[in-house]
Amino acid sequence: MIRVVLVDDQPLIRTGLRVLIADTPDLQVVGEAGDGAAAVDLVARLRPDVAVMDIRMPGVDGIEATRRIAADSGVDTHVLVLTTFDDDDYVYGALRAGASGFLVKDLALETILDGIRVVAAGDALIAPSVTRRLIGEFAARPQSAPTSRRPVASVVTEREREVLTLVGRGLSNAEIAAELVISVATAKAHVARLFTKLDARDRVHLVIQAYEFGLVAP
């Protein structure tokens, strides 16, 4: 059973998701919050598997709430941002804050359910090719320019740098293996070490770090 907290300042959105999840045998809504501050407290108390998080909310917004949840070492809750991409400039900030992915509110409800499952499993919600385009758009903006203060060589090996660059370009493990002429198992091992060394929650955050290190240009 995947335990879910719904965070949105619109009761209608929360109600729609709650009703949908109620008919889903592997998902359970364990709490709801109408703003970011309440969400942080609720997650700390209930420790759900997934928090479905809106971004634009009064008081503490979804980005700050995500940052606080991700920073709590006692909580292993994955944040799924549910927002309106077309007019929302904060998606990149949410991913940097610790969200494991995002969906737009006009997607089919079944797609949202599948997204919750993906995030609960600890995987990135966004496919590599989509991730590359999305992060490229946000990284191209001045406020999202590479900001890493660490030289990449001081953090990873040369081979890991090559792998991180390819992850940043949106390649899958199989594609990385073909590009570097290594086995898929070896590629997966390099990616796993990058998760540890860069303290990345999932593949989305490896892509972000590839941009921040300047390994991939928008």
Side-chain angles (χ1 to χ4, degrees):
M1 181 68 69
I2 298 172
R3 302 170 68 250
V4 181
V5 161
L6 303 176
V7 185
D8 199 298
D9 63 336
Q10 299 183 48
L12 184 61
I13 297 293
R14 300 200 309 269
T15 298
L17 288 172
R18 184 176 67 250
V19 170
L20 176 68
I21 290 174
D23 292 330
T24 307
D26 61 331
L27 303 177
Q28 177 187 15
V29 174
V30 296
E32 297 181 30
D35 61 74
V40 173
D41 292 340
L42 196 63
V43 167
R45 179 163 53 87
L46 299 179
R47 300 188 180 185
D49 301 298
V50 177
V52 179
M53 182 79 67
D54 188 22
I55 287 184
R56 292 178 174 173
M57 295 181 291
V60 176
D61 64 14
I63 293 177
E64 179 58 27
T66 298
R67 184 177 295 110
R68 295 181 189 181
I69 291 171
D72 188 344
S73 60
V75 172
D76 191 27
T77 298
H78 298 280
V79 176
L80 168 60
V81 171
L82 184 61
T83 187
T84 304
F85 176 72
D86 288 342
D87 61 1
D88 197 330
D89 292 333
Y90 304 111
V91 175
Y92 179 67
L95 294 176
R96 289 185 62 189
S100 293
F102 77 91
L103 289 176
V104 292
K105 288 181 177 178
D106 59 358
L107 286 173
L109 293 177
E110 285 299 328
T111 301
I112 295 175
L113 292 179
D114 288 339
I116 293 173
R117 296 185 182 101
V118 169
V119 169
D123 295 326
L125 177 61
I126 312 165
S129 60
V130 177
T131 301
R132 181 177 65 246
R133 295 194 300 271
L134 170 69
I135 301 302
E137 176 178 342
F138 282 93
R141 303 180 181 184
Q143 64 270 29
S144 299
T147 58
S148 177
R149 297 178 180 178
R150 302 170 298 172
V152 65
S154 70
V155 184
V156 300
T157 66
E158 176 61 23
R159 175 60 87 185
E160 289 166 348
R161 182 192 65 78
E162 293 174 339
V163 172
L164 181 59
T165 300
L166 295 177
V167 170
R169 286 170 45 195
L171 272 66
S172 66
N173 288 339
E175 292 168 334
I176 291 171
E179 181 81 11
L180 298 179
V181 195
I182 57 178
S183 69
V184 174
T186 300
K188 291 175 65 176
H190 284 308
V191 171
R193 283 195 291 272
L194 286 170
F195 283 144
T196 300
K197 286 188 174 183
L198 299 179
D199 194 24
R201 292 169 65 93
D202 51 42
R203 207 176 186 94
V204 170
H205 297 108
L206 287 184
V207 174
I208 293 171
Q209 297 217 37
Y211 276 93
E212 293 185 330
F213 277 122
L215 299 178
V216 182

PDB file of all heavy atoms in Angstrom, residues 141-164:
ATOM      1  N   ARG A 141      17.670  29.927 -18.481  1.00  0.00           N
ATOM      2  CA  ARG A 141      17.305  31.218 -17.906  1.00  0.00           C
ATOM      3  C   ARG A 141      18.391  31.693 -16.953  1.00  0.00           C
ATOM      4  O   ARG A 141      19.037  30.893 -16.284  1.00  0.00           O
ATOM      5  CB  ARG A 141      15.965  31.098 -17.184  1.00  0.00           C
ATOM      6  CG  ARG A 141      14.867  30.596 -18.122  1.00  0.00           C
ATOM      7  CD  ARG A 141      13.528  30.463 -17.426  1.00  0.00           C
ATOM      8  NE  ARG A 141      12.529  29.965 -18.371  1.00  0.00           N
ATOM      9  CZ  ARG A 141      11.256  29.827 -18.082  1.00  0.00           C
ATOM     10  NH1 ARG A 141      10.823  30.143 -16.874  1.00  0.00           N
ATOM     11  NH2 ARG A 141      10.409  29.377 -18.982  1.00  0.00           N
ATOM     12  N   PRO A 142      18.602  32.995 -16.849  1.00  0.00           N
ATOM     13  CA  PRO A 142      19.697  33.512 -16.018  1.00  0.00           C
ATOM     14  C   PRO A 142      19.677  33.015 -14.587  1.00  0.00           C
ATOM     15  O   PRO A 142      20.714  32.670 -14.038  1.00  0.00           O
ATOM     16  CB  PRO A 142      19.479  35.031 -16.069  1.00  0.00           C
ATOM     17  CG  PRO A 142      18.769  35.258 -17.374  1.00  0.00           C
ATOM     18  CD  PRO A 142      17.879  34.055 -17.557  1.00  0.00           C
ATOM     19  N   GLN A 143      18.517  32.927 -13.948  1.00  0.00           N
ATOM     20  CA  GLN A 143      18.472  32.526 -12.560  1.00  0.00           C
ATOM     21  C   GLN A 143      18.783  31.054 -12.373  1.00  0.00           C
ATOM     22  O   GLN A 143      18.965  30.596 -11.269  1.00  0.00           O
ATOM     23  CB  GLN A 143      17.098  32.807 -11.940  1.00  0.00           C
ATOM     24  CG  GLN A 143      15.952  32.007 -12.551  1.00  0.00           C
ATOM     25  CD  GLN A 143      15.306  32.721 -13.703  1.00  0.00           C
ATOM     26  OE1 GLN A 143      15.946  33.505 -14.408  1.00  0.00           O
ATOM     27  NE2 GLN A 143      14.022  32.474 -13.914  1.00  0.00           N
ATOM     28  N   SER A 144      18.833  30.301 -13.476  1.00  0.00           N
ATOM     29  CA  SER A 144      19.111  28.876 -13.372  1.00  0.00           C
ATOM     30  C   SER A 144      20.439  28.516 -14.025  1.00  0.00           C
ATOM     31  O   SER A 144      20.664  27.394 -14.415  1.00  0.00           O
ATOM     32  CB  SER A 144      17.980  28.074 -14.028  1.00  0.00           C
ATOM     33  OG  SER A 144      16.770  28.310 -13.392  1.00  0.00           O
ATOM     34  N   ALA A 145      21.326  29.478 -14.159  1.00  0.00           N
ATOM     35  CA  ALA A 145      22.642  29.221 -14.729  1.00  0.00           C
ATOM     36  C   ALA A 145      23.425  28.313 -13.809  1.00  0.00           C
ATOM     37  O   ALA A 145      23.144  28.213 -12.618  1.00  0.00           O
ATOM     38  CB  ALA A 145      23.391  30.534 -14.928  1.00  0.00           C
ATOM     39  N   PRO A 146      24.456  27.592 -14.320  1.00  0.00           N
ATOM     40  CA  PRO A 146      25.236  26.709 -13.471  1.00  0.00           C
ATOM     41  C   PRO A 146      25.742  27.440 -12.233  1.00  0.00           C
ATOM     42  O   PRO A 146      26.326  28.504 -12.316  1.00  0.00           O
ATOM     43  CB  PRO A 146      26.392  26.285 -14.396  1.00  0.00           C
ATOM     44  CG  PRO A 146      25.792  26.355 -15.765  1.00  0.00           C
ATOM     45  CD  PRO A 146      24.879  27.548 -15.724  1.00  0.00           C
ATOM     46  N   THR A 147      25.513  26.827 -11.066  1.00  0.00           N
ATOM     47  CA  THR A 147      25.863  27.499  -9.817  1.00  0.00           C
ATOM     48  C   THR A 147      26.779  26.664  -8.930  1.00  0.00           C
ATOM     49  O   THR A 147      27.088  27.074  -7.822  1.00  0.00           O
ATOM     50  CB  THR A 147      24.579  27.807  -9.030  1.00  0.00           C
ATOM     51  OG1 THR A 147      23.868  26.582  -8.787  1.00  0.00           O
ATOM     52  CG2 THR A 147      23.676  28.756  -9.792  1.00  0.00           C
ATOM     53  N   SER A 148      27.169  25.485  -9.383  1.00  0.00           N
ATOM     54  CA  SER A 148      27.983  24.633  -8.536  1.00  0.00           C
ATOM     55  C   SER A 148      29.311  25.307  -8.215  1.00  0.00           C
ATOM     56  O   SER A 148      29.994  25.821  -9.090  1.00  0.00           O
ATOM     57  CB  SER A 148      28.237  23.287  -9.221  1.00  0.00           C
ATOM     58  OG  SER A 148      29.083  22.492  -8.427  1.00  0.00           O
ATOM     59  N   ARG A 149      29.693  25.287  -6.947  1.00  0.00           N
ATOM     60  CA  ARG A 149      30.957  25.870  -6.522  1.00  0.00           C
ATOM     61  C   ARG A 149      32.082  24.840  -6.540  1.00  0.00           C
ATOM     62  O   ARG A 149      33.236  25.183  -6.353  1.00  0.00           O
ATOM     63  CB  ARG A 149      30.802  26.449  -5.106  1.00  0.00           C
ATOM     64  CG  ARG A 149      29.791  27.592  -5.021  1.00  0.00           C
ATOM     65  CD  ARG A 149      29.661  28.084  -3.599  1.00  0.00           C
ATOM     66  NE  ARG A 149      28.694  29.174  -3.504  1.00  0.00           N
ATOM     67  CZ  ARG A 149      28.354  29.777  -2.372  1.00  0.00           C
ATOM     68  NH1 ARG A 149      28.908  29.382  -1.231  1.00  0.00           N
ATOM     69  NH2 ARG A 149      27.481  30.755  -2.358  1.00  0.00           N
ATOM     70  N   ARG A 150      31.739  23.566  -6.724  1.00  0.00           N
ATOM     71  CA  ARG A 150      32.744  22.511  -6.707  1.00  0.00           C
ATOM     72  C   ARG A 150      33.156  22.156  -8.131  1.00  0.00           C
ATOM     73  O   ARG A 150      32.298  21.953  -8.985  1.00  0.00           O
ATOM     74  CB  ARG A 150      32.191  21.258  -6.029  1.00  0.00           C
ATOM     75  CG  ARG A 150      31.713  21.453  -4.619  1.00  0.00           C
ATOM     76  CD  ARG A 150      30.972  20.208  -4.147  1.00  0.00           C
ATOM     77  NE  ARG A 150      29.784  19.949  -4.948  1.00  0.00           N
ATOM     78  CZ  ARG A 150      29.043  18.851  -4.861  1.00  0.00           C
ATOM     79  NH1 ARG A 150      29.394  17.902  -4.017  1.00  0.00           N
ATOM     80  NH2 ARG A 150      27.976  18.691  -5.614  1.00  0.00           N
ATOM     81  N   PRO A 151      34.446  22.060  -8.399  1.00  0.00           N
ATOM     82  CA  PRO A 151      34.851  21.536  -9.706  1.00  0.00           C
ATOM     83  C   PRO A 151      34.457  20.069  -9.782  1.00  0.00           C
ATOM     84  O   PRO A 151      34.625  19.316  -8.813  1.00  0.00           O
ATOM     85  CB  PRO A 151      36.367  21.723  -9.707  1.00  0.00           C
ATOM     86  CG  PRO A 151      36.747  21.787  -8.267  1.00  0.00           C
ATOM     87  CD  PRO A 151      35.585  22.431  -7.557  1.00  0.00           C
ATOM     88  N   VAL A 152      33.954  19.671 -10.912  1.00  0.00           N
ATOM     89  CA  VAL A 152      33.437  18.312 -11.024  1.00  0.00           C
ATOM     90  C   VAL A 152      34.521  17.279 -10.770  1.00  0.00           C
ATOM     91  O   VAL A 152      34.262  16.208 -10.200  1.00  0.00           O
ATOM     92  CB  VAL A 152      32.784  18.108 -12.406  1.00  0.00           C
ATOM     93  CG1 VAL A 152      33.816  18.202 -13.528  1.00  0.00           C
ATOM     94  CG2 VAL A 152      32.038  16.778 -12.457  1.00  0.00           C
ATOM     95  N   ALA A 153      35.780  17.569 -11.147  1.00  0.00           N
ATOM     96  CA  ALA A 153      36.868  16.607 -10.970  1.00  0.00           C
ATOM     97  C   ALA A 153      37.147  16.314  -9.503  1.00  0.00           C
ATOM     98  O   ALA A 153      37.730  15.274  -9.174  1.00  0.00           O
ATOM     99  CB  ALA A 153      38.139  17.119 -11.653  1.00  0.00           C
ATOM    100  N   SER A 154      36.742  17.215  -8.613  1.00  0.00           N
ATOM    101  CA  SER A 154      36.976  16.992  -7.190  1.00  0.00           C
ATOM    102  C   SER A 154      35.912  16.108  -6.565  1.00  0.00           C
ATOM    103  O   SER A 154      36.037  15.709  -5.400  1.00  0.00           O
ATOM    104  CB  SER A 154      37.008  18.338  -6.445  1.00  0.00           C
ATOM    105  OG  SER A 154      35.716  18.919  -6.405  1.00  0.00           O
ATOM    106  N   VAL A 155      34.877  15.794  -7.328  1.00  0.00           N
ATOM    107  CA  VAL A 155      33.760  15.033  -6.787  1.00  0.00           C
ATOM    108  C   VAL A 155      33.657  13.644  -7.403  1.00  0.00           C
ATOM    109  O   VAL A 155      33.371  12.674  -6.705  1.00  0.00           O
ATOM    110  CB  VAL A 155      32.435  15.798  -7.015  1.00  0.00           C
ATOM    111  CG1 VAL A 155      31.275  15.062  -6.374  1.00  0.00           C
ATOM    112  CG2 VAL A 155      32.532  17.219  -6.463  1.00  0.00           C
ATOM    113  N   VAL A 156      33.893  13.536  -8.697  1.00  0.00           N
ATOM    114  CA  VAL A 156      33.721  12.259  -9.388  1.00  0.00           C
ATOM    115  C   VAL A 156      34.965  11.930 -10.199  1.00  0.00           C
ATOM    116  O   VAL A 156      35.805  12.791 -10.480  1.00  0.00           O
ATOM    117  CB  VAL A 156      32.494  12.310 -10.332  1.00  0.00           C
ATOM    118  CG1 VAL A 156      31.221  12.604  -9.543  1.00  0.00           C
ATOM    119  CG2 VAL A 156      32.684  13.346 -11.430  1.00  0.00           C
ATOM    120  N   THR A 157      35.068  10.662 -10.586  1.00  0.00           N
ATOM    121  CA  THR A 157      36.165  10.230 -11.437  1.00  0.00           C
ATOM    122  C   THR A 157      35.906  10.670 -12.877  1.00  0.00           C
ATOM    123  O   THR A 157      34.807  11.117 -13.221  1.00  0.00           O
ATOM    124  CB  THR A 157      36.315   8.704 -11.400  1.00  0.00           C
ATOM    125  OG1 THR A 157      35.146   8.110 -12.005  1.00  0.00           O
ATOM    126  CG2 THR A 157      36.452   8.202  -9.974  1.00  0.00           C
ATOM    127  N   GLU A 158      36.911  10.503 -13.723  1.00  0.00           N
ATOM    128  CA  GLU A 158      36.759  10.888 -15.123  1.00  0.00           C
ATOM    129  C   GLU A 158      35.654  10.065 -15.796  1.00  0.00           C
ATOM    130  O   GLU A 158      34.843  10.593 -16.548  1.00  0.00           O
ATOM    131  CB  GLU A 158      38.076  10.698 -15.864  1.00  0.00           C
ATOM    132  CG  GLU A 158      38.013  10.978 -17.364  1.00  0.00           C
ATOM    133  CD  GLU A 158      37.618  12.428 -17.673  1.00  0.00           C
ATOM    134  OE1 GLU A 158      37.814  13.307 -16.805  1.00  0.00           O
ATOM    135  OE2 GLU A 158      37.104  12.670 -18.775  1.00  0.00           O
ATOM    136  N   ARG A 159      35.626   8.767 -15.514  1.00  0.00           N
ATOM    137  CA  ARG A 159      34.591   7.928 -16.110  1.00  0.00           C
ATOM    138  C   ARG A 159      33.209   8.331 -15.597  1.00  0.00           C
ATOM    139  O   ARG A 159      32.243   8.397 -16.361  1.00  0.00           O
ATOM    140  CB  ARG A 159      34.849   6.454 -15.790  1.00  0.00           C
ATOM    141  CG  ARG A 159      33.752   5.513 -16.274  1.00  0.00           C
ATOM    142  CD  ARG A 159      33.573   5.588 -17.777  1.00  0.00           C
ATOM    143  NE  ARG A 159      34.468   4.686 -18.470  1.00  0.00           N
ATOM    144  CZ  ARG A 159      34.598   4.603 -19.792  1.00  0.00           C
ATOM    145  NH1 ARG A 159      33.890   5.420 -20.560  1.00  0.00           N
ATOM    146  NH2 ARG A 159      35.430   3.761 -20.345  1.00  0.00           N
ATOM    147  N   GLU A 160      33.109   8.629 -14.300  1.00  0.00           N
ATOM    148  CA  GLU A 160      31.831   9.063 -13.753  1.00  0.00           C
ATOM    149  C   GLU A 160      31.408  10.401 -14.344  1.00  0.00           C
ATOM    150  O   GLU A 160      30.217  10.646 -14.539  1.00  0.00           O
ATOM    151  CB  GLU A 160      31.920   9.145 -12.230  1.00  0.00           C
ATOM    152  CG  GLU A 160      32.003   7.780 -11.560  1.00  0.00           C
ATOM    153  CD  GLU A 160      32.426   7.856 -10.108  1.00  0.00           C
ATOM    154  OE1 GLU A 160      32.872   8.945  -9.660  1.00  0.00           O
ATOM    155  OE2 GLU A 160      32.331   6.830  -9.416  1.00  0.00           O
ATOM    156  N   ARG A 161      32.382  11.247 -14.637  1.00  0.00           N
ATOM    157  CA  ARG A 161      32.058  12.523 -15.288  1.00  0.00           C
ATOM    158  C   ARG A 161      31.452  12.264 -16.663  1.00  0.00           C
ATOM    159  O   ARG A 161      30.478  12.915 -17.063  1.00  0.00           O
ATOM    160  CB  ARG A 161      33.318  13.386 -15.429  1.00  0.00           C
ATOM    161  CG  ARG A 161      33.038  14.766 -16.057  1.00  0.00           C
ATOM    162  CD  ARG A 161      34.326  15.458 -16.453  1.00  0.00           C
ATOM    163  NE  ARG A 161      35.010  14.728 -17.504  1.00  0.00           N
ATOM    164  CZ  ARG A 161      34.651  14.763 -18.790  1.00  0.00           C
ATOM    165  NH1 ARG A 161      33.615  15.483 -19.181  1.00  0.00           N
ATOM    166  NH2 ARG A 161      35.319  14.064 -19.680  1.00  0.00           N
ATOM    167  N   GLU A 162      32.018  11.307 -17.402  1.00  0.00           N
ATOM    168  CA  GLU A 162      31.473  10.965 -18.711  1.00  0.00           C
ATOM    169  C   GLU A 162      30.044  10.437 -18.588  1.00  0.00           C
ATOM    170  O   GLU A 162      29.156  10.807 -19.371  1.00  0.00           O
ATOM    171  CB  GLU A 162      32.360   9.913 -19.387  1.00  0.00           C
ATOM    172  CG  GLU A 162      33.747  10.413 -19.752  1.00  0.00           C
ATOM    173  CD  GLU A 162      34.638   9.311 -20.286  1.00  0.00           C
ATOM    174  OE1 GLU A 162      34.347   8.119 -20.016  1.00  0.00           O
ATOM    175  OE2 GLU A 162      35.630   9.616 -20.969  1.00  0.00           O
ATOM    176  N   VAL A 163      29.831   9.583 -17.599  1.00  0.00           N
ATOM    177  CA  VAL A 163      28.493   9.024 -17.392  1.00  0.00           C
ATOM    178  C   VAL A 163      27.512  10.122 -17.004  1.00  0.00           C
ATOM    179  O   VAL A 163      26.389  10.193 -17.516  1.00  0.00           O
ATOM    180  CB  VAL A 163      28.533   7.923 -16.313  1.00  0.00           C
ATOM    181  CG1 VAL A 163      27.110   7.477 -15.950  1.00  0.00           C
ATOM    182  CG2 VAL A 163      29.347   6.729 -16.794  1.00  0.00           C
ATOM    183  N   LEU A 164      27.933  11.023 -16.102  1.00  0.00           N
ATOM    184  CA  LEU A 164      27.054  12.113 -15.671  1.00  0.00           C
ATOM    185  C   LEU A 164      26.689  13.011 -16.850  1.00  0.00           C
ATOM    186  O   LEU A 164      25.551  13.474 -16.963  1.00  0.00           O
ATOM    187  CB  LEU A 164      27.735  12.932 -14.578  1.00  0.00           C
ATOM    188  CG  LEU A 164      26.931  14.098 -13.997  1.00  0.00           C
ATOM    189  CD1 LEU A 164      25.626  13.607 -13.387  1.00  0.00           C
ATOM    190  CD2 LEU A 164      27.764  14.845 -12.961  1.00  0.00           C
TER     191      LEU A 164
END
